[in-house]
């Protein structure tokens, strides 16, 4: 059953995961192959995978968790279960090393690097194109980064107040608490990664960490404030 009647509330769910399966059926490919051929290879994203190749596994960053005193410690390779602001979540520090993985999620599961993800975000900032490779029409990027939830509020206040297709969006209503420029869009990952694209400032910003849960941290807000403070100098 649905959590609520469509159009009456905004919820963070498995919609993008379902869309990933739709892509597989429509393309006749696994999502892994589709991403490689349609996104990663054209953008020269050479370090982005669902399952890491053997020769790159030593580069996988360690994952940390806070203890009761909020000091972080490295977690082991066993499956974990933690409760945070996003609910009770099973996760693993070594899921990208599972050779027998058969599930490629549309909404999670990729590992990457700052340089690779910067290329992806630069493509979006450029309106769907990077170095002569066009992945999306400019109109598509505009639609993705335009409010799609009307008067409803996005439930993640560190990503503006509205939501497009995959991004939280900063609008004039989110000011003055939101330091990002109106029209900026952002999102993050489970292990406390974060990105922001600001079309007006022609800016992309990326923050990567490896910690979960992270409810006690304010690094995303601090990072964003420092970025915009630097622009005003």
């Amino acid at each position: 059953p649905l959590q609520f009647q469509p159009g009456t509330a905004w919820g963070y769910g498995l919609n993008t995961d379902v869309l990933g399966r739709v892509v597989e059926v429509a393309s006749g490919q696994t999502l892994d192959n589709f991403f490689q051929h349609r996104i990663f290879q054209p953008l020269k994203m050479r370090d982005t995978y669902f399952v890491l190749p053997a020769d790159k596994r030593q580069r996988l960053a360690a994952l940390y968790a806070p203890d009761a005193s909020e000091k972080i410690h490295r977690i082991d390779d066993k499956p974990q279960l933690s409760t945070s602001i996003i609910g009770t979540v099973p996760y693993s520090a070594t899921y990208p090393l599972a050779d027998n993985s058969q599930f490629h999620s549309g909404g999670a599961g990729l590992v990457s690097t700052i340089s690779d993800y910067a290329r992806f975000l630069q493509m979006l900032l450029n309106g769907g194109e990077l170095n002569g490779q066009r992945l999306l029409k400019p109109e598509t990027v505009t639609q993705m980064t335009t409010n799609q939830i009307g008067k409803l509020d996005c439930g993640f206040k560190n990503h503006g107040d509205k939501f497009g297709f995959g991004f939280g969006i900063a609008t004039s209503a989110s000011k003055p608490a939101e330091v990002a420029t109106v029209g900026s869009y952002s999102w993050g990952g489970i292990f406390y990664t974060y990105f922001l694209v600001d079309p007006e400032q022609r800016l992309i910003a990326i923050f990567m960490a490896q910690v979960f849960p992270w409810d006690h941290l304010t690094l995303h807000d601090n990072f964003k404030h420092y970025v915009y403070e630097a622009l005003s100098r």
Side-chain angles (χ1 to χ4, degrees):
L2 298 176
Q3 289 181 310
F4 45 78
Q5 189 69 12
T8 62
W10 182 89
Y12 181 59
L14 297 176
N15 37 27
T16 310
D17 300 88
V18 174
L19 184 58
R21 179 59 184 150
V22 172
V23 170
E24 289 187 324
V25 173
S27 67
Q29 303 178 57
T30 65
L31 200 61
D32 187 23
N33 287 335
F34 184 88
F35 282 177
Q36 287 292 339
H37 294 141
R38 296 289 295 271
I39 302 174
F40 304 152
Q41 290 176 11
L43 294 184
K44 294 183 170 59
M45 295 172 63
R46 300 188 176 98
D47 282 324
T48 306
Y49 304 91
F50 281 109
V51 178
L52 281 171
D55 62 346
K56 297 189 178 184
R57 296 187 172 190
Q58 76 280 3
R59 294 170 54 198
L60 181 64
L63 178 61
Y64 296 84
D67 59 22
S69 63
E70 297 185 350
K71 293 182 178 180
I72 59 171
H73 58 91
R74 183 171 179 168
I75 68 169
D76 57 33
D77 296 344
K78 299 177 182 178
Q80 309 289 318
L81 188 67
S82 293
T83 300
S84 74
I85 193 174
I86 60 175
T88 300
V89 179
Y91 64 99
S92 167
T94 56
Y95 72 89
L97 310 182
D99 289 316
N100 60 348
S101 174
Q102 298 298 309
F103 176 62
H104 302 138
S105 167
L110 287 171
V111 289
S112 190
T113 60
I114 288 178
S115 56
D116 261 21
Y117 209 64
R119 298 183 67 81
F120 180 76
L121 297 180
Q122 188 67 51
M123 176 273 296
L124 293 174
L125 181 62
N126 294 348
E129 179 272 336
L130 182 68
N131 296 334
Q133 296 291 324
R134 178 160 294 282
L135 271 67
L136 299 167
K137 295 179 180 179
E139 297 86 352
T140 303
V141 177
T142 297
Q143 191 173 31
M144 292 168 64
T145 57
T146 299
N147 174 29
Q148 300 292 338
I149 62 173
K151 296 181 180 180
L152 301 175
D153 284 333
C154 170
F156 294 83
K157 296 305 181 184
N158 57 334
H159 296 294
D161 60 318
K162 299 299 178 182
F163 198 77
F165 292 137
F167 309 102
I169 300 166
T171 72
S172 57
S174 64
K175 297 291 187 177
E178 174 60 66
V179 299
T181 306
V182 171
S184 297
Y185 51 95
S186 62
W187 206 244
I190 186 173
F191 297 150
Y192 209 50
T193 54
Y194 172 84
F195 70 86
L196 178 140
V197 179
D198 185 332
E200 180 176 314
Q201 297 286 349
R202 302 297 300 168
L203 167 77
I204 62 174
I206 304 171
F207 175 97
M208 287 204 176
Q210 284 282 93
V211 59
F212 185 80
W214 35 256
D215 301 0
H216 61 296
L217 298 174
T218 61
L219 295 174
H220 287 178
D221 286 339
N222 296 344
F223 172 68
K224 186 161 54 174
H225 276 82
Y226 292 147
V227 167
Y228 282 92
E229 183 180 290
L231 289 177
S232 63
R233 290 177 179 173

